[in-house]
Amino acid sequence: MNRRQGKWALVTGASAGIGLAFAERLAVEGMNLVLTARRLDRLEQLATRLRDSRNVSVEICRADFGEESGPAAVFEFTESKRIAVDLLVNNAGLGGYGEFRASDLRRQLDMVQLNCAAVVQVTHLYLPGMIVRGHGDIIITASAASFQPTPYIAVYGASKAFDLMFAEALAAEVARHGVRVCALCPGSTESEFHEIAGVPEEGRRHRVPAAPVVEAALRALDDGKTSVVPGAKDRWQINLQRLVSRRFVTRAAERVLRPPALR
């Protein structure tokens, strides 16, 4: 029997990419949804489609997790609706590509807010209720970049390393309360991320669809794993890194990620 059917999931960053794929997959499994993102028009279209096609309840709440008030606004929304969130999908995120010294500082700080501070805040808001009920699931979207230093996406990679470590540490803390936590660490995935981050066209190749990434995350969660890297090639590369020094890995990454204008 599907243990998620009829329960409520909160998906952040639900308007595109992996967040959208989570919403679609969870609706297939019969979960009711609270969807949040900045783009209200996309949320409304998605909510209508899922209500009509999957016969689930869907609530939408426009919020900007790049603002400190964003997570609290969503929590107040679900509390006002008396919605008990059984699955929290921390998926909202931001990236940026290029030399750090030439980057916009505000964007770098926004990245830390969205990828790290907002994840901590929204998790801190919803976790106590899960512990009281004796069950609950949390997925935190990290990245294959979580496992190594990443020149030219330095802040992004560091923020995703934070997400991975946070998820795995939290999983150990809350397992005895019946709460499961899993970090999703995808490689290059079909989404708007690369365009928004300013990744050049050649760096947008070989992206995998978001749907199998989501399926891997839910399967890993059900199997009790605290992290998952969906792609076989990404897993191979991460395991290979353990055989050489971090300095070597970082230098190799610098050559691979170096912007075309600097080559």
Side-chain angles (χ1 to χ4, degrees):
M1 182 177 178
N2 183 2
R3 66 186 299 273
R4 284 186 277 269
Q5 187 170 7
K7 296 180 179 179
W8 283 91
L10 167 61
V11 182
T12 73
S15 61
I18 293 175
L20 173 61
F22 264 116
E24 292 174 334
R25 180 61 201 175
L26 294 173
V28 169
E29 296 193 14
M31 287 203 84
N32 301 314
L33 301 169
V34 179
L35 307 177
T36 181
R38 291 181 300 171
R39 294 174 287 194
L40 184 60
D41 57 336
R42 291 196 180 189
L43 291 179
E44 290 174 337
Q45 293 170 10
L46 176 59
T48 299
R49 177 163 61 84
L50 294 180
R51 291 189 195 108
D52 293 343
S53 63
R54 299 301 177 187
N55 194 30
V56 295
S57 297
V58 184
E59 299 284 350
I60 59 174
C61 179
R62 184 196 177 281
D64 184 357
F65 277 29
E67 302 290 337
E68 189 174 346
S69 60
V74 174
F75 183 71
E76 290 171 6
F77 175 83
T78 56
E79 288 290 286
S80 70
K81 299 280 187 178
R82 298 184 181 276
I83 293 173
V85 172
D86 287 286
L87 170 59
L88 169 62
V89 181
N90 273 309
N91 176 73
L94 179 67
Y97 175 75
E99 289 184 284
F100 175 76
R101 66 179 180 85
S103 67
D104 178 68
L105 178 58
R106 182 69 264 164
R107 183 177 180 85
Q108 301 296 329
L109 295 174
D110 287 346
M111 210 180 303
V112 174
Q113 164 62 32
L114 188 57
N115 296 358
C116 300
V119 171
V120 171
Q121 189 176 358
V122 74
T123 302
H124 195 266
L125 289 168
Y126 285 100
L127 179 59
M130 295 180 179
I131 291 175
V132 168
R133 294 189 296 273
H135 61 85
D137 294 325
I138 300 171
I139 293 174
I140 296 175
T141 301
S143 170
S146 302
F147 297 89
Q148 65 177 65
T150 49
Y152 307 111
I153 51 170
V155 173
Y156 173 79
S159 72
K160 291 303 180 177
F162 172 90
D163 287 338
L164 173 61
M165 296 298 106
F166 175 61
E168 292 188 336
L170 191 62
E173 283 188 32
V174 301
R176 61 192 174 92
H177 297 291
V179 179
R180 306 180 300 184
V181 184
C182 183
L184 170 61
C185 305
S188 186
T189 306
E190 291 180 358
S191 70
E192 298 174 348
F193 170 85
H194 295 78
E195 288 79 2
I196 295 173
V199 177
E201 188 65 35
E202 65 182 75
R204 304 177 192 179
R205 301 168 187 165
H206 311 299
R207 292 184 289 179
V208 301
V213 169
V214 166
E215 291 173 7
L218 295 173
R219 188 165 55 248
L221 183 69
D222 290 340
D223 290 343
K225 296 180 180 179
T226 58
S227 64
V228 59
V229 181
K233 180 180 178 181
D234 293 313
R235 289 195 299 272
W236 178 82
Q237 289 177 336
I238 289 167
N239 288 329
L240 184 63
Q241 292 168 22
R242 297 169 180 166
L243 304 178
V244 296
S245 69
R246 179 170 295 183
R247 183 181 182 184
F248 176 87
V249 170
T250 305
R251 286 183 172 180
E254 191 277 330
R255 289 192 295 272
V256 171
L257 296 172
R258 187 182 300 166
L262 300 180
R263 295 175 186 172

